[in-house]
Amino acid sequence: VGSLEIILCPKNLAGVDTQGNTIQIRFMISNVQKAFERGLMSGGSEITSPHIENGVAHASLRDPDGNSLEFIELNDEAVN
């Protein structure tokens, strides 16, 4: 993990439908695809699959508790 950014995010923006508290954690990493696959193998569920938008590779998933995890990679060759 290159850096960690914690942001306050409304539940509807994070794609989480819950009555309890949730958090969104953004990870700036070197390989979005690998992190996304590991997250799914660890019990996460897909919010957005790995893709490139505006030159930035990113993906997001929900952990088993409903929290949103976002993976960001600035390399435009991140998703093949």
Side-chain angles (χ1 to χ4, degrees), residues 7-79:
I7 59 173
L8 298 176
C9 183
K11 291 182 278 189
N12 62 337
L13 182 61
V16 177
D17 182 23
T18 182
Q19 298 301 313
N21 293 332
T22 58
I23 60 171
Q24 179 172 357
I25 301 175
R26 177 176 294 160
F27 296 92
M28 306 298 284
I29 57 174
S30 61
N31 190 318
V32 166
Q33 183 68 42
K34 185 175 181 179
F36 183 77
E37 290 170 2
R38 290 177 109 183
L40 292 177
M41 290 187 317
S42 298
S45 59
E46 179 179 321
I47 297 174
T48 58
S49 62
H51 64 285
I52 296 175
E53 186 175 321
N54 298 323
V56 178
H58 56 92
S60 59
L61 48 84
R62 199 170 291 125
D63 73 12
D65 291 327
N67 300 303
S68 174
L69 306 177
E70 183 177 20
F71 306 110
I72 304 287
E73 178 183 342
L74 300 180
N75 179 354
D76 62 3
E77 296 179 7
V79 182

